[in-house]
């Protein structure tokens, strides 16, 4: 996603001189196309994320559209109060680009896991929060949001190859991207873990069990109307996110169900505990936290038939 | 000399407003506001080039020590950008004039109040001015204790690295912070040497001599070279004898008797 993001940003920057790129010394093999093409519009501010956001605030007030780039935790958490009191309070077009949503930084451990970024930013009014599912959707989402008047947070992944089948890069603000509609259970996914969700639906389809799938990339503004409409059509919804279980997609869907008085049962699949010092590949971490395709397929089977002996092999 | 006299009188008018409004609102932060009065007077009388608060090429002024906002509100009132009836809403309900400045108020460039934030915004603002070839300069007023914040030094590094000559930081060095004296809480000495080591151009002045402040800023080369720091040596609570150097006047509001004494001292000051 980050490669697609930077390539798209270069395209946009060719058309609009207001676009700048700031990095807090991260983005090796990612930011170079922009840096080489626009050396005067690229700033490595050093390892100083708070200052990066403060500088971007000053630049944005003067009319620029600064994109700030770092790993999710440093971009969103270290500089959080500067984001709040700067771009959000002043409603300035600062872009915060976090790379490594969920467990993408695998063996780098908890300091590099993006498990709370969407939650902490989504509580703030006046910020757009975008969590694309793959690199095709990243490109569409950036093109749809780059020149919005207020701040935007982009939660990206490093993966520039994997595609969520059937998503076809679709993105609209305030919308759920529906991929499959048939079945009594709906799986809703946020971010790169969407590929596991589709794979889980495929495992179930092999057994003749249809399962609906949707992707939510527009976390703020939230797709409330789409969700309310969709949730009426299913007995159960399983939200899936490589994010702590509070503040992300599961929380959003819970709010929509509760406030809409809907009858749809909610099962939240998210990271429910601290990793406890254990790290490993993204796949390992997905398995450990119940986010692997097999585990997700089991959740669907349990939702359909709670007493059934589950039979998806790991 | 007539210019000095005019600005001195502006200082006294600002002090009078600080005392009157603090009393009317029953608010604290009086000592912090009094500490920067002469710096603010220099800024709004002589230094800042602001044709109108909406002019994009105006100089920017960021009160990073946002808790002293009342001194700036007084200056904005005296410049005619804040009317009397709005000034009188200070710390009331439905006001834009809270204890800390809000950019929704005409004449306030950035909302502040969280210490350590202003200098990095100022650095971005100065970088933007250079990129846009705008003549605007950026002034950031910090407290000395604010330099406890690591983000101040992130911004200091950045501004020096990019040689933001159009950025002027002013430190209101009164040696006090909320719960004690800086020498006891977190020693900042030697302040000038620290900033020099970070690559800044540093000057020190008497922070209550308006002409000296104006003169020092005038000697800064804001077209080339490193960013500038003016260390303004000040007295916390300046102008009200019983507040000067007293920790309690960071938060304390005045009683009726204290107000009368403060007013007498300010009105009778030269």
């Amino acid at each position: 996603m980050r490669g697609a993001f930077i390539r798209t940003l270069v395209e946009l920057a060719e058309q609009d001189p207001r676009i700048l790129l700031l990095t807090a010394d991260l983005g090796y093999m990612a930011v170079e196309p922009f840096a080489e093409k626009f050396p005067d519009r690229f700033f490595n501010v050093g390892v100083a994320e708070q200052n990066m956001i403060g500088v971007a605030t000053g630049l944005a007030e003067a009319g620029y559209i600064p994109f700030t780039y770092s790993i999710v935790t440093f971009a969103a958490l270290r500089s959080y109060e500067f984001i709040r009191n700067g771009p959000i309070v002043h409603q300035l077009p600062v872009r915060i680009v976090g790379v490594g949503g969920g467990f993408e930084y695998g063996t780098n451990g908890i300091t590099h896991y993006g498990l709370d970024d969407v939650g902490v930013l989504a509580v703030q009014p006046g910020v757009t929060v975008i969590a694309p599912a793959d690199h095709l959707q990243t490109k569409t989402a950036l093109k749809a949001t780059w020149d919005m008047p207020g701040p935007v947070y982009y939660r990206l992944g490093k993966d520039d190859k994997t595609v969520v089948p059937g998503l076809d890069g679709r993105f609209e603000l305030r919308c759920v991207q529906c991929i499959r509609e048939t079945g009594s259970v709906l799986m809703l996914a946020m971010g790169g873990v969407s590929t596991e969700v589709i794979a889980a639906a495929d495992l179930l389809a092999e057994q003749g069990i249809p399962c609906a799938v949707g992707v939510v990339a527009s976390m703020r503004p939230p797709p409330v109307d789409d969700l309310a409409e969709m949730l009426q059509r299913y007995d159960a919804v399983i939200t899936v996110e490589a994010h702590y279980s509070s503040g992300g997609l599961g929380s959003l869907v819970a709010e929509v169900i509760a406030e809409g008085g809907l009858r749809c049962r909610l099962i939240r699949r998210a990271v429910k505990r601290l990793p406890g010092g254990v790290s490993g590949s993204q796949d390992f971490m997905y398995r450990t936290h119940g986010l692997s395709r097999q585990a997700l397929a089991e959740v669907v089977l349990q939702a359909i038939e709670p007493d059934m002996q589950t039979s998806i092999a790991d | 000399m007539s210019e000095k006299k005019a600005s001195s009188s502006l200082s006294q008018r600002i002090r009078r407003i600080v005392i009157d409004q603090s009393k009317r609102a029953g608010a604290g932060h009086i000592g912090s506001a009094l500490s920067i009065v002469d710096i603010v007077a220099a800024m709004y009388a002589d230094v800042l080039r602001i044709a109108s608060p909406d002019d994009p090429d105006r100089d920017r002024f960021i009160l990073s020590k946002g808790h002293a906002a009342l001194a700036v509100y007084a200056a904005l009132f005296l410049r005619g950008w804040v009317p009397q009836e709005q000034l009188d809403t200070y710390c009331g309900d439905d006001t834009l004039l809270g204890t800390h400045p809000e950019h929704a108020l005409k004449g306030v460039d950035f909302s502040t109040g969280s210490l350590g934030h202003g200098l990095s915004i100022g650095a971005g603002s100065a970088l933007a001015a250079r990129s846009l070839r705008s003549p605007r300069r950026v002034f950031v007023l910090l407290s000395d204790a604010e330099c406890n914040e690591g983000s101040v030094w992130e911004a200091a590094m950045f501004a020096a690295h990019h040689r933001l000559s159009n950025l002027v930081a002013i430190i209101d060095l009164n040696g006090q912070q909320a719960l004690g004296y800086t020498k006891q809480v977190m020693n900042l000495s030697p302040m000038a040497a620290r900033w020099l080591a970070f690559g800044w151009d540093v000057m020190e002045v008497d922070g209550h001599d308006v002409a000296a402040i104006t003169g020092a800023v005038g000697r800064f080369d804001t077209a080339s070279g490193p960013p500038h720091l003016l260390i303004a040596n000040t007295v916390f609570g300046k102008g009200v004898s019983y507040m000067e150097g007293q920790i309690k006047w960071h938060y304390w509001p005045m009683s009726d008797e204290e107000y009368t004494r403060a007013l007498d001292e300010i009105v009778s000051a030269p």
Side-chain angles (χ1 to χ4, degrees):
Chain A
M1 293 185 219
R2 63 178 178 179
F5 191 91
I6 296 294
R7 281 193 299 278
T8 308
L9 192 63
V10 168
E11 278 175 37
L12 295 167
E14 280 169 349
Q15 296 156 27
D16 196 315
R18 294 175 299 166
I19 293 175
L20 309 175
L21 178 60
L22 284 66
T23 174
D25 204 33
L26 286 169
Y28 181 63
M29 298 297 283
V31 298
E32 291 84 353
F34 191 101
E36 286 161 13
K37 184 112 189 177
F38 306 107
D40 297 339
R41 292 156 66 184
F42 172 78
F43 300 93
N44 183 349
V45 305
V47 193
E49 296 80 11
Q50 296 178 93
N51 186 54
M52 176 165 69
I53 296 298
V55 166
T57 303
L59 288 165
E61 190 267 345
Y64 285 107
I65 303 179
F67 283 73
T68 63
Y69 182 103
S70 189
I71 288 175
V72 160
T73 49
F74 315 139
L77 303 183
R78 171 63 70 92
S79 54
Y80 184 62
E81 194 225 20
F82 275 44
I83 297 171
R84 174 187 184 274
N85 291 340
I88 294 178
V89 163
H90 295 82
Q91 283 298 289
L92 290 169
V94 171
R95 312 300 180 225
I96 301 111
V97 184
V99 175
F103 292 116
E104 233 191 336
Y105 275 96
T107 55
N108 287 280
I110 182 67
T111 55
H112 287 56
Y113 293 158
L115 301 173
D116 31 19
D117 52 322
V118 171
V120 297
L121 282 160
V123 297
Q124 299 287 340
V127 61
T128 300
V129 178
I130 308 294
D134 65 13
H135 66 94
L136 297 176
Q137 192 182 39
T138 299
K139 182 175 180 173
T140 320
L142 176 57
K143 285 190 167 180
T145 54
W146 69 275
D147 62 347
M148 292 180 70
V152 182
Y153 173 64
Y154 298 98
R155 182 202 217 217
L156 305 184
K158 291 189 290 178
D159 186 341
D160 268 298
K161 292 186 183 135
T162 310
V163 165
V164 178
L167 182 58
D168 306 324
R170 286 174 290 135
F171 173 85
E172 278 178 277
L173 277 176
R174 289 190 185 81
C175 289
V176 178
Q177 306 305 324
C178 193
I179 296 178
R180 295 179 191 180
E181 291 195 73
T182 312
S184 61
V185 172
L186 168 67
M187 280 199 283
L188 284 175
M190 175 188 81
V193 77
S194 299
T195 53
E196 292 300 307
V197 172
I198 282 286
D202 285 342
L203 288 174
L204 293 162
E206 284 167 16
Q207 300 197 4
I209 302 165
C211 179
V213 177
V215 165
V216 178
S218 173
M219 289 297 296
R220 290 292 183 280
V224 173
D225 292 344
D226 271 12
L227 286 171
E229 187 278 320
M230 287 177 84
L231 294 172
Q232 292 181 40
R233 289 189 270 131
Y234 300 96
D235 297 332
V237 57
I238 299 159
T239 57
V240 183
E241 54 199 322
H243 187 279
Y244 288 136
S245 52
S246 289
L249 180 59
S251 291
L252 170 63
V253 171
E255 289 172 15
V256 172
I257 289 173
E259 289 187 335
L262 306 179
R263 296 178 62 84
C264 186
R265 183 181 160 218
L266 169 64
I267 300 161
R268 290 181 298 160
R269 258 306 149 113
V271 181
K272 303 211 170 184
R273 55 183 168 81
L274 285 168
V278 175
S279 67
S281 66
Q282 177 171 254
D283 284 347
F284 170 82
M285 297 307 286
Y286 279 174
R287 289 199 301 276
T288 304
H289 291 272
L291 296 167
S292 67
R293 57 196 64 185
Q294 291 83 6
L296 297 173
E298 300 273 1
V299 176
V300 175
L301 288 176
Q302 288 287 332
I304 293 170
E305 198 71 63
D307 299 327
M308 193 166 77
Q309 289 296 312
T310 55
S311 58
I312 301 290
D314 204 344
Chain B
M1 286 309 286
S2 63
E3 191 176 306
K4 181 178 176 178
K5 194 178 169 192
S7 296
S8 295
S9 116
L10 179 63
S11 292
Q12 293 312 89
R13 291 169 73 193
I14 293 174
R15 281 202 167 81
R16 170 77 192 260
I17 292 169
V18 167
I19 294 300
D20 284 347
Q21 290 293 336
S22 295
K23 178 60 182 150
R24 187 196 50 70
H29 288 308
I30 306 166
S32 304
L34 291 174
S35 183
I36 64 164
V37 162
D38 300 296
I39 301 168
V40 169
M43 288 292 118
Y44 284 90
D46 302 309
V47 173
L48 294 172
R49 299 172 190 150
I50 304 177
S52 89
D54 303 319
D55 174 13
D57 280 331
R58 72 190 184 279
D59 284 349
R60 299 295 194 271
F61 178 72
I62 302 170
L63 182 68
S64 198
K65 52 169 294 182
H67 54 283
L70 181 52
V72 173
Y73 298 153
L76 296 177
F77 163 72
L78 294 168
R79 282 290 297 255
W81 296 327
V82 169
Q84 179 77 55
E85 52 279 19
Q86 190 174 28
L87 181 66
D88 289 340
T89 68
Y90 173 66
C91 283
D93 288 337
D94 198 23
T95 185
L96 289 178
L97 285 75
T99 314
H100 300 90
E102 276 293 331
H103 73 288
L105 180 68
K106 191 182 269 294
V108 172
D109 294 324
F110 292 95
S111 301
T112 51
S114 176
L115 296 176
H117 192 194
L119 192 59
S120 62
I121 296 177
S125 209
L127 181 65
R130 187 162 76 190
S131 300
L132 294 166
R133 295 190 166 74
S134 161
R136 81 186 76 151
R137 303 164 302 166
V138 181
F139 295 84
V140 184
L141 178 51
L142 302 97
S143 79
D144 47 357
E146 183 175 359
C147 298
N148 295 172
E149 295 276 8
S151 54
V152 169
W153 302 100
E154 288 185 14
M157 268 187 279
F158 179 88
H161 180 84
H162 290 280
R163 294 181 72 78
L164 299 177
S165 52
N166 54 350
L167 176 64
V168 177
I170 302 167
I171 291 180
D172 167 34
L173 196 139
N174 60 32
Q176 283 186 224
Q177 50 198 106
L179 301 188
Y181 297 95
T182 55
K183 279 188 178 156
Q184 295 158 349
V185 176
M186 188 57 58
N187 191 14
L188 295 154
S189 184
M191 187 67 95
R194 292 177 193 220
W195 288 82
L196 281 166
F198 271 69
W200 284 58
D201 169 37
V202 180
M203 237 186 266
E204 286 199 58
V205 289
D206 173 352
H208 298 302
D209 184 336
V210 173
I213 294 165
T214 306
V217 172
R219 285 193 292 281
F220 285 143
D221 177 1
T222 53
S224 64
H228 313 280
L229 173 69
L230 186 67
I231 296 178
N233 292 299
T234 56
V235 174
F236 182 89
K238 175 72 177 181
V240 179
S241 58
Y242 64 85
M243 290 188 191
E244 289 184 1
Q246 299 302 308
I247 298 296
K248 86 172 218 184
W249 291 102
H250 189 93
Y251 289 118
W252 213 254
M254 289 171 286
S255 68
D256 291 344
E257 190 189 336
E258 285 163 341
Y259 169 69
T260 307
R261 275 184 64 197
L263 202 57
D264 284 348
E265 290 188 24
I266 284 166
V267 170
S268 61

